[in-house]
Amino acid sequence: MTGEQVFEETIAKDQRVEPRDWMPDGYRKTMIRQIAQHAHSEIIGMQPEGAWITRAPTLRRKAILLAKVQDEAGHGLYLYSAAETLGADRGDLTRRLIDGRQKYSSIFNYPTLTFADVGVIGWLVDGAAICNQVPLCRSSYGPYARAMIRICKEESFHQRQGYELLMTMMRGTAAQREMVQDATDRWWWPSLMMFGPPDDESPNSAQSMAWKIKRHSNDDLRQRFVDMSVPQAEALGVTLPDPALRWNADREHYDFGEIDWVEFKRVISGGGPMNAERIAHRRRADEDGAWVREAAAAHAAKRAKVGAA
Ligand code: 3HC
């Protein structure tokens, strides 16, 4: 059998494509694209919450938030390593991110205005990530699917700590309850945008689903997230900012209002409230860390020379 036939059979049998297997150039390209977008999202995603580590209201909240932000860094490193198995270079991917030639999740381009934002990011943003990423544990590319297993376990901790933080605030003062409602109002619609454009405007979905990279469509996962979040909002005692939200017994799903796709397109093309800050921060971190990378490379080269002698 040719490499192409083996690849086709692997996909048809729901088996895993591994780094040394033959794969179509287009498969490699779109896998690097998606994994890089995901890795960039994890690293940029450290910024919004990282801003609250020094201002957490208690030592317990600080410790939880530190652990969560460290997890995001780890997720980014797993995913850059998965991209490297496809021949990508981590430094090149970072430059593509900083130059705007690769994307990261739109959700991280919104400001975190109060500590309630930390809870709502855990509840809604990590909740959306879980909806989107649990199916990716069955993605056809082996290293990506395997990275997802640990990432999803840690995202579940992130989601639960966020929801618990909000439950605590909702049992607090009226001002704290207002902070939670205000954060929910600001993060709800951007969370729905995390799942990508509507299916009929998604240029990558058809091929990604044919190759079993994606297992469900953007709209299906978005609907799953809405259905999961409405009861959680009710239990929390907050109102989701969508007057069109209502249970549709015929569909057995919640109907919801129209997403502002003009805002979505603006944010993913660099025009969101925080895009410039997020990229400037990432550029500064990359520049400040250059000497560490150079020293590590020089040390590795010296050891290799000694080893070869
Ligand atoms: N933000 C930024 N860009 C987005 C986007 C979003 N919310 N949704 C879609 N896009 C981009 C896509 O990357 C693609 O652009 P590109 O071709 O230049 O890469 C374009 O918009 C068209 O979208 P498609 O639906 O055709 O693209 P995909 O098939 O790649 O689907 C996706 C988009 C659903 C985000 C998919 O890439 C995916 O599932 N990625 C892996 C999961 C992921 O990246 N999640 C990020 C969430 S943040 C996170 O997990 C951190 C955690 O701590 C919360």
Side-chain angles (χ1 to χ4, degrees), residues 251-289:
R251 288 198 318 125
E252 293 194 340
H253 290 293
Y254 282 93
D255 291 337
F256 55 94
E258 188 51 31
I259 292 171
D260 181 348
W261 294 113
V262 172
E263 174 178 335
F264 172 74
K265 288 189 182 101
R266 184 175 64 247
V267 175
I268 70 168
S269 45
M274 299 294 289
N275 294 59
E277 285 82 352
R278 300 293 183 232
I279 293 298
H281 184 109
R282 186 71 195 87
R283 177 182 287 110
R284 217 172 25 254
D286 186 55
E287 287 163 358
D288 292 353

mmCIF file of all heavy atoms in Angstrom, residues 251-289:
data_model
loop_
_atom_site.group_PDB
_atom_site.id
_atom_site.type_symbol
_atom_site.label_atom_id
_atom_site.label_comp_id
_atom_site.label_asym_id
_atom_site.label_seq_id
_atom_site.Cartn_x
_atom_site.Cartn_y
_atom_site.Cartn_z
ATOM 1 N N ARG A 251 -36.406 21.584 19.418
ATOM 2 C CA ARG A 251 -34.984 21.301 19.091
ATOM 3 C C ARG A 251 -34.287 20.587 20.255
ATOM 4 O O ARG A 251 -33.234 20.012 20.114
ATOM 5 C CB ARG A 251 -34.238 22.615 18.812
ATOM 6 C CG ARG A 251 -34.571 23.297 17.529
ATOM 7 C CD ARG A 251 -33.518 24.326 17.103
ATOM 8 N NE ARG A 251 -33.017 25.154 18.186
ATOM 9 C CZ ARG A 251 -31.714 25.267 18.491
ATOM 10 N NH1 ARG A 251 -30.824 24.528 17.848
ATOM 11 N NH2 ARG A 251 -31.315 26.062 19.469
ATOM 12 N N GLU A 252 -34.887 20.748 21.445
ATOM 13 C CA GLU A 252 -34.255 20.262 22.699
ATOM 14 C C GLU A 252 -32.887 20.918 22.907
ATOM 15 O O GLU A 252 -31.890 20.292 23.296
ATOM 16 C CB GLU A 252 -34.137 18.725 22.701
ATOM 17 C CG GLU A 252 -35.531 18.064 22.769
ATOM 18 C CD GLU A 252 -35.450 16.566 23.108
ATOM 19 O OE1 GLU A 252 -34.373 15.962 22.920
ATOM 20 O OE2 GLU A 252 -36.456 16.005 23.595
ATOM 21 N N HIS A 253 -32.859 22.193 22.535
ATOM 22 C CA HIS A 253 -31.665 23.032 22.758
ATOM 23 C C HIS A 253 -32.159 24.439 23.130
ATOM 24 O O HIS A 253 -33.333 24.772 22.898
ATOM 25 C CB HIS A 253 -30.817 23.141 21.481
ATOM 26 C CG HIS A 253 -30.118 21.870 21.095
ATOM 27 N ND1 HIS A 253 -29.097 21.321 21.848
ATOM 28 C CD2 HIS A 253 -30.306 21.045 20.030
ATOM 29 C CE1 HIS A 253 -28.681 20.213 21.257
ATOM 30 N NE2 HIS A 253 -29.405 20.014 20.160
ATOM 31 N N TYR A 254 -31.250 25.278 23.634
ATOM 32 C CA TYR A 254 -31.604 26.685 23.880
ATOM 33 C C TYR A 254 -31.427 27.477 22.585
ATOM 34 O O TYR A 254 -30.386 27.379 21.922
ATOM 35 C CB TYR A 254 -30.696 27.281 24.967
ATOM 36 C CG TYR A 254 -31.099 26.869 26.363
ATOM 37 C CD1 TYR A 254 -30.528 25.757 26.980
ATOM 38 C CD2 TYR A 254 -32.081 27.576 27.057
ATOM 39 C CE1 TYR A 254 -30.908 25.364 28.252
ATOM 40 C CE2 TYR A 254 -32.471 27.189 28.346
ATOM 41 C CZ TYR A 254 -31.874 26.083 28.926
ATOM 42 O OH TYR A 254 -32.264 25.680 30.188
ATOM 43 N N ASP A 255 -32.439 28.230 22.217
ATOM 44 C CA ASP A 255 -32.272 29.220 21.139
ATOM 45 C C ASP A 255 -31.526 30.402 21.740
ATOM 46 O O ASP A 255 -31.709 30.715 22.930
ATOM 47 C CB ASP A 255 -33.649 29.698 20.632
ATOM 48 C CG ASP A 255 -34.406 28.597 19.884
ATOM 49 O OD1 ASP A 255 -33.741 27.655 19.388
ATOM 50 O OD2 ASP A 255 -35.649 28.667 19.844
ATOM 51 N N PHE A 256 -30.669 31.032 20.959
ATOM 52 C CA PHE A 256 -29.984 32.225 21.475
ATOM 53 C C PHE A 256 -29.863 33.273 20.378
ATOM 54 O O PHE A 256 -30.109 32.983 19.195
ATOM 55 C CB PHE A 256 -28.618 31.873 22.085
ATOM 56 C CG PHE A 256 -27.661 31.122 21.186
ATOM 57 C CD1 PHE A 256 -26.705 31.801 20.424
ATOM 58 C CD2 PHE A 256 -27.730 29.735 21.107
ATOM 59 C CE1 PHE A 256 -25.806 31.102 19.628
ATOM 60 C CE2 PHE A 256 -26.827 29.028 20.291
ATOM 61 C CZ PHE A 256 -25.875 29.711 19.549
ATOM 62 N N GLY A 257 -29.536 34.477 20.784
ATOM 63 C CA GLY A 257 -29.516 35.628 19.859
ATOM 64 C C GLY A 257 -28.359 35.596 18.877
ATOM 65 O O GLY A 257 -27.526 34.682 18.897
ATOM 66 N N GLU A 258 -28.342 36.600 18.002
ATOM 67 C CA GLU A 258 -27.341 36.692 16.932
ATOM 68 C C GLU A 258 -26.002 37.201 17.488
ATOM 69 O O GLU A 258 -25.970 38.156 18.253
ATOM 70 C CB GLU A 258 -27.856 37.660 15.836
ATOM 71 C CG GLU A 258 -27.017 37.729 14.566
ATOM 72 C CD GLU A 258 -26.682 36.363 13.917
ATOM 73 O OE1 GLU A 258 -27.492 35.419 14.020
ATOM 74 O OE2 GLU A 258 -25.554 36.250 13.364
ATOM 75 N N ILE A 259 -24.926 36.509 17.165
ATOM 76 C CA ILE A 259 -23.578 36.937 17.596
ATOM 77 C C ILE A 259 -23.129 38.102 16.721
ATOM 78 O O ILE A 259 -23.430 38.135 15.523
ATOM 79 C CB ILE A 259 -22.613 35.732 17.498
ATOM 80 C CG1 ILE A 259 -23.000 34.676 18.546
ATOM 81 C CG2 ILE A 259 -21.158 36.157 17.660
ATOM 82 C CD1 ILE A 259 -22.268 33.343 18.400
ATOM 83 N N ASP A 260 -22.389 39.029 17.288
ATOM 84 C CA ASP A 260 -21.896 40.188 16.517
ATOM 85 C C ASP A 260 -20.638 39.774 15.740
ATOM 86 O O ASP A 260 -19.502 39.913 16.215
ATOM 87 C CB ASP A 260 -21.574 41.340 17.486
ATOM 88 C CG ASP A 260 -21.081 42.589 16.749
ATOM 89 O OD1 ASP A 260 -20.780 42.469 15.535
ATOM 90 O OD2 ASP A 260 -21.002 43.656 17.379
ATOM 91 N N TRP A 261 -20.869 39.259 14.528
ATOM 92 C CA TRP A 261 -19.719 38.753 13.742
ATOM 93 C C TRP A 261 -18.832 39.881 13.244
ATOM 94 O O TRP A 261 -17.660 39.658 12.922
ATOM 95 C CB TRP A 261 -20.221 37.872 12.588
ATOM 96 C CG TRP A 261 -20.879 36.624 13.084
ATOM 97 C CD1 TRP A 261 -22.206 36.279 12.977
ATOM 98 C CD2 TRP A 261 -20.266 35.570 13.852
ATOM 99 N NE1 TRP A 261 -22.437 35.061 13.620
ATOM 100 C CE2 TRP A 261 -21.268 34.625 14.151
ATOM 101 C CE3 TRP A 261 -18.948 35.334 14.315
ATOM 102 C CZ2 TRP A 261 -21.010 33.457 14.891
ATOM 103 C CZ3 TRP A 261 -18.687 34.177 15.037
ATOM 104 C CH2 TRP A 261 -19.712 33.252 15.320
ATOM 105 N N VAL A 262 -19.355 41.085 13.198
ATOM 106 C CA VAL A 262 -18.495 42.232 12.825
ATOM 107 C C VAL A 262 -17.436 42.420 13.925
ATOM 108 O O VAL A 262 -16.244 42.572 13.645
ATOM 109 C CB VAL A 262 -19.340 43.514 12.645
ATOM 110 C CG1 VAL A 262 -18.437 44.731 12.445
ATOM 111 C CG2 VAL A 262 -20.307 43.349 11.483
ATOM 112 N N GLU A 263 -17.882 42.336 15.189
ATOM 113 C CA GLU A 263 -16.927 42.454 16.311
ATOM 114 C C GLU A 263 -15.924 41.314 16.239
ATOM 115 O O GLU A 263 -14.724 41.472 16.360
ATOM 116 C CB GLU A 263 -17.658 42.413 17.652
ATOM 117 C CG GLU A 263 -16.688 42.391 18.842
ATOM 118 C CD GLU A 263 -17.370 42.395 20.205
ATOM 119 O OE1 GLU A 263 -18.517 42.874 20.284
ATOM 120 O OE2 GLU A 263 -16.750 41.901 21.174
ATOM 121 N N PHE A 264 -16.418 40.081 15.993
ATOM 122 C CA PHE A 264 -15.538 38.895 15.917
ATOM 123 C C PHE A 264 -14.441 39.138 14.880
ATOM 124 O O PHE A 264 -13.247 38.982 15.163
ATOM 125 C CB PHE A 264 -16.367 37.663 15.553
ATOM 126 C CG PHE A 264 -15.551 36.433 15.249
ATOM 127 C CD1 PHE A 264 -14.936 35.720 16.266
ATOM 128 C CD2 PHE A 264 -15.387 35.998 13.929
ATOM 129 C CE1 PHE A 264 -14.174 34.580 15.990
ATOM 130 C CE2 PHE A 264 -14.626 34.861 13.642
ATOM 131 C CZ PHE A 264 -14.027 34.150 14.668
ATOM 132 N N LYS A 265 -14.839 39.555 13.683
ATOM 133 C CA LYS A 265 -13.858 39.755 12.589
ATOM 134 C C LYS A 265 -12.868 40.867 12.965
ATOM 135 O O LYS A 265 -11.666 40.758 12.734
ATOM 136 C CB LYS A 265 -14.570 40.093 11.277
ATOM 137 C CG LYS A 265 -15.307 38.900 10.665
ATOM 138 C CD LYS A 265 -15.818 39.183 9.259
ATOM 139 C CE LYS A 265 -16.603 37.974 8.715
ATOM 140 N NZ LYS A 265 -18.068 38.172 8.816
ATOM 141 N N ARG A 266 -13.393 41.914 13.630
ATOM 142 C CA ARG A 266 -12.502 43.011 14.036
ATOM 143 C C ARG A 266 -11.462 42.504 15.049
ATOM 144 O O ARG A 266 -10.270 42.742 14.920
ATOM 145 C CB ARG A 266 -13.321 44.152 14.674
ATOM 146 C CG ARG A 266 -12.484 45.368 15.022
ATOM 147 C CD ARG A 266 -13.296 46.542 15.541
ATOM 148 N NE ARG A 266 -13.960 46.235 16.807
ATOM 149 C CZ ARG A 266 -15.292 46.136 16.930
ATOM 150 N NH1 ARG A 266 -16.074 46.298 15.859
ATOM 151 N NH2 ARG A 266 -15.842 45.840 18.095
ATOM 152 N N VAL A 267 -11.934 41.707 16.011
ATOM 153 C CA VAL A 267 -11.012 41.255 17.075
ATOM 154 C C VAL A 267 -9.975 40.275 16.525
ATOM 155 O O VAL A 267 -8.788 40.379 16.836
ATOM 156 C CB VAL A 267 -11.809 40.619 18.244
ATOM 157 C CG1 VAL A 267 -10.860 40.035 19.289
ATOM 158 C CG2 VAL A 267 -12.729 41.661 18.884
ATOM 159 N N ILE A 268 -10.398 39.359 15.650
ATOM 160 C CA ILE A 268 -9.401 38.366 15.175
ATOM 161 C C ILE A 268 -8.453 38.984 14.138
ATOM 162 O O ILE A 268 -7.442 38.396 13.797
ATOM 163 C CB ILE A 268 -10.028 37.065 14.632
ATOM 164 C CG1 ILE A 268 -10.761 37.257 13.322
ATOM 165 C CG2 ILE A 268 -10.894 36.397 15.660
ATOM 166 C CD1 ILE A 268 -11.110 35.910 12.656
ATOM 167 N N SER A 269 -8.801 40.197 13.652
ATOM 168 C CA SER A 269 -7.827 40.826 12.734
ATOM 169 C C SER A 269 -7.052 41.926 13.452
ATOM 170 O O SER A 269 -6.458 42.790 12.828
ATOM 171 C CB SER A 269 -8.531 41.360 11.481
ATOM 172 O OG SER A 269 -9.702 42.048 11.853
ATOM 173 N N GLY A 270 -7.048 41.882 14.794
ATOM 174 C CA GLY A 270 -6.150 42.766 15.551
ATOM 175 C C GLY A 270 -6.811 43.991 16.135
ATOM 176 O O GLY A 270 -6.149 44.780 16.804
ATOM 177 N N GLY A 271 -8.138 44.161 15.937
ATOM 178 C CA GLY A 271 -8.786 45.400 16.377
ATOM 179 C C GLY A 271 -9.560 45.301 17.686
ATOM 180 O O GLY A 271 -10.417 46.137 17.972
ATOM 181 N N GLY A 272 -9.250 44.306 18.505
ATOM 182 C CA GLY A 272 -9.965 44.178 19.779
ATOM 183 C C GLY A 272 -9.440 45.154 20.818
ATOM 184 O O GLY A 272 -8.422 45.830 20.587
ATOM 185 N N PRO A 273 -10.095 45.249 21.994
ATOM 186 C CA PRO A 273 -9.707 46.227 23.019
ATOM 187 C C PRO A 273 -8.270 46.049 23.500
ATOM 188 O O PRO A 273 -7.594 46.995 23.848
ATOM 189 C CB PRO A 273 -10.700 45.965 24.157
ATOM 190 C CG PRO A 273 -11.793 45.164 23.590
ATOM 191 C CD PRO A 273 -11.277 44.459 22.392
ATOM 192 N N MET A 274 -7.762 44.796 23.532
ATOM 193 C CA MET A 274 -6.444 44.582 24.143
ATOM 194 C C MET A 274 -5.415 43.961 23.196
ATOM 195 O O MET A 274 -4.332 43.559 23.641
ATOM 196 C CB MET A 274 -6.608 43.673 25.379
ATOM 197 C CG MET A 274 -7.486 44.225 26.475
ATOM 198 S SD MET A 274 -6.792 45.690 27.261
ATOM 199 C CE MET A 274 -5.425 44.972 28.176
ATOM 200 N N ASN A 275 -5.718 43.855 21.912
ATOM 201 C CA ASN A 275 -4.772 43.149 21.021
ATOM 202 C C ASN A 275 -3.360 43.735 21.102
ATOM 203 O O ASN A 275 -2.367 43.013 21.234
ATOM 204 C CB ASN A 275 -5.254 43.218 19.567
ATOM 205 C CG ASN A 275 -6.530 42.466 19.331
ATOM 206 O OD1 ASN A 275 -7.552 42.760 19.950
ATOM 207 N ND2 ASN A 275 -6.510 41.478 18.450
ATOM 208 N N ALA A 276 -3.285 45.075 21.009
ATOM 209 C CA ALA A 276 -1.947 45.703 20.954
ATOM 210 C C ALA A 276 -1.159 45.395 22.222
ATOM 211 O O ALA A 276 0.022 45.017 22.170
ATOM 212 C CB ALA A 276 -2.106 47.210 20.756
ATOM 213 N N GLU A 277 -1.842 45.496 23.386
ATOM 214 C CA GLU A 277 -1.137 45.219 24.658
ATOM 215 C C GLU A 277 -0.670 43.763 24.719
ATOM 216 O O GLU A 277 0.437 43.467 25.156
ATOM 217 C CB GLU A 277 -2.078 45.479 25.863
ATOM 218 C CG GLU A 277 -2.323 46.938 26.183
ATOM 219 C CD GLU A 277 -3.403 47.539 25.292
ATOM 220 O OE1 GLU A 277 -3.837 46.860 24.332
ATOM 221 O OE2 GLU A 277 -3.786 48.699 25.524
ATOM 222 N N ARG A 278 -1.535 42.855 24.292
ATOM 223 C CA ARG A 278 -1.190 41.418 24.411
ATOM 224 C C ARG A 278 0.043 41.110 23.560
ATOM 225 O O ARG A 278 0.969 40.430 24.023
ATOM 226 C CB ARG A 278 -2.364 40.540 23.953
ATOM 227 C CG ARG A 278 -3.650 40.719 24.718
ATOM 228 C CD ARG A 278 -3.574 40.260 26.160
ATOM 229 N NE ARG A 278 -4.874 40.384 26.824
ATOM 230 C CZ ARG A 278 -5.067 41.007 27.991
ATOM 231 N NH1 ARG A 278 -4.040 41.588 28.588
ATOM 232 N NH2 ARG A 278 -6.257 41.069 28.541
ATOM 233 N N ILE A 279 0.076 41.632 22.352
ATOM 234 C CA ILE A 279 1.211 41.346 21.462
ATOM 235 C C ILE A 279 2.468 42.074 21.931
ATOM 236 O O ILE A 279 3.573 41.514 21.930
ATOM 237 C CB ILE A 279 0.867 41.687 20.000
ATOM 238 C CG1 ILE A 279 -0.225 40.735 19.488
ATOM 239 C CG2 ILE A 279 2.106 41.620 19.100
ATOM 240 C CD1 ILE A 279 0.168 39.249 19.472
ATOM 241 N N ALA A 280 2.306 43.326 22.405
ATOM 242 C CA ALA A 280 3.482 44.082 22.893
ATOM 243 C C ALA A 280 4.100 43.338 24.081
ATOM 244 O O ALA A 280 5.315 43.183 24.187
ATOM 245 C CB ALA A 280 3.061 45.485 23.311
ATOM 246 N N HIS A 281 3.252 42.816 24.960
ATOM 247 C CA HIS A 281 3.730 42.056 26.140
ATOM 248 C C HIS A 281 4.474 40.800 25.674
ATOM 249 O O HIS A 281 5.560 40.480 26.164
ATOM 250 C CB HIS A 281 2.508 41.677 26.997
ATOM 251 C CG HIS A 281 2.818 40.986 28.280
ATOM 252 N ND1 HIS A 281 2.659 41.581 29.517
ATOM 253 C CD2 HIS A 281 3.284 39.734 28.531
ATOM 254 C CE1 HIS A 281 3.014 40.722 30.465
ATOM 255 N NE2 HIS A 281 3.396 39.596 29.891
ATOM 256 N N ARG A 282 3.898 40.108 24.679
ATOM 257 C CA ARG A 282 4.522 38.867 24.186
ATOM 258 C C ARG A 282 5.863 39.175 23.506
ATOM 259 O O ARG A 282 6.837 38.444 23.682
ATOM 260 C CB ARG A 282 3.563 38.160 23.212
ATOM 261 C CG ARG A 282 4.051 36.788 22.752
ATOM 262 C CD ARG A 282 3.980 35.753 23.874
ATOM 263 N NE ARG A 282 4.746 34.557 23.581
ATOM 264 C CZ ARG A 282 6.039 34.409 23.859
ATOM 265 N NH1 ARG A 282 6.693 35.386 24.444
ATOM 266 N NH2 ARG A 282 6.671 33.303 23.577
ATOM 267 N N ARG A 283 5.891 40.278 22.766
ATOM 268 C CA ARG A 283 7.145 40.672 22.085
ATOM 269 C C ARG A 283 8.230 40.973 23.133
ATOM 270 O O ARG A 283 9.350 40.496 23.054
ATOM 271 C CB ARG A 283 6.917 41.896 21.185
ATOM 272 C CG ARG A 283 8.210 42.395 20.521
ATOM 273 C CD ARG A 283 8.031 43.633 19.672
ATOM 274 N NE ARG A 283 7.326 43.321 18.421
ATOM 275 C CZ ARG A 283 6.088 43.708 18.158
ATOM 276 N NH1 ARG A 283 5.415 44.423 19.045
ATOM 277 N NH2 ARG A 283 5.504 43.386 17.015
ATOM 278 N N ARG A 284 7.849 41.706 24.184
ATOM 279 C CA ARG A 284 8.811 42.089 25.246
ATOM 280 C C ARG A 284 9.342 40.827 25.931
ATOM 281 O O ARG A 284 10.544 40.655 26.119
ATOM 282 C CB ARG A 284 8.096 42.986 26.278
ATOM 283 C CG ARG A 284 8.944 44.085 26.828
ATOM 284 C CD ARG A 284 8.209 45.097 27.705
ATOM 285 N NE ARG A 284 7.004 44.651 28.352
ATOM 286 C CZ ARG A 284 5.765 45.013 27.969
ATOM 287 N NH1 ARG A 284 5.620 45.755 26.898
ATOM 288 N NH2 ARG A 284 4.683 44.598 28.627
ATOM 289 N N ALA A 285 8.446 39.891 26.223
ATOM 290 C CA ALA A 285 8.861 38.646 26.903
ATOM 291 C C ALA A 285 9.806 37.860 26.013
ATOM 292 O O ALA A 285 10.817 37.311 26.460
ATOM 293 C CB ALA A 285 7.634 37.806 27.246
ATOM 294 N N ASP A 286 9.524 37.842 24.716
ATOM 295 C CA ASP A 286 10.382 37.107 23.770
ATOM 296 C C ASP A 286 11.764 37.767 23.698
ATOM 297 O O ASP A 286 12.788 37.079 23.764
ATOM 298 C CB ASP A 286 9.731 37.113 22.380
ATOM 299 C CG ASP A 286 10.499 36.243 21.394
ATOM 300 O OD1 ASP A 286 10.718 35.044 21.701
ATOM 301 O OD2 ASP A 286 10.913 36.771 20.351
ATOM 302 N N GLU A 287 11.780 39.093 23.654
ATOM 303 C CA GLU A 287 13.073 39.818 23.586
ATOM 304 C C GLU A 287 13.853 39.649 24.897
ATOM 305 O O GLU A 287 15.024 39.337 24.902
ATOM 306 C CB GLU A 287 12.839 41.303 23.286
ATOM 307 C CG GLU A 287 12.408 41.555 21.838
ATOM 308 C CD GLU A 287 11.773 42.940 21.599
ATOM 309 O OE1 GLU A 287 11.632 43.698 22.605
ATOM 310 O OE2 GLU A 287 11.403 43.231 20.454
ATOM 311 N N ASP A 288 13.156 39.785 26.026
ATOM 312 C CA ASP A 288 13.831 39.670 27.336
ATOM 313 C C ASP A 288 14.363 38.254 27.573
ATOM 314 O O ASP A 288 15.313 38.060 28.328
ATOM 315 C CB ASP A 288 12.865 40.026 28.484
ATOM 316 C CG ASP A 288 12.491 41.509 28.470
ATOM 317 O OD1 ASP A 288 13.101 42.244 27.649
ATOM 318 O OD2 ASP A 288 11.582 41.921 29.220
ATOM 319 N N GLY A 289 13.761 37.279 26.912
ATOM 320 C CA GLY A 289 14.177 35.888 27.150
ATOM 321 C C GLY A 289 15.213 35.404 26.142
ATOM 322 O O GLY A 289 15.698 34.277 26.231
#
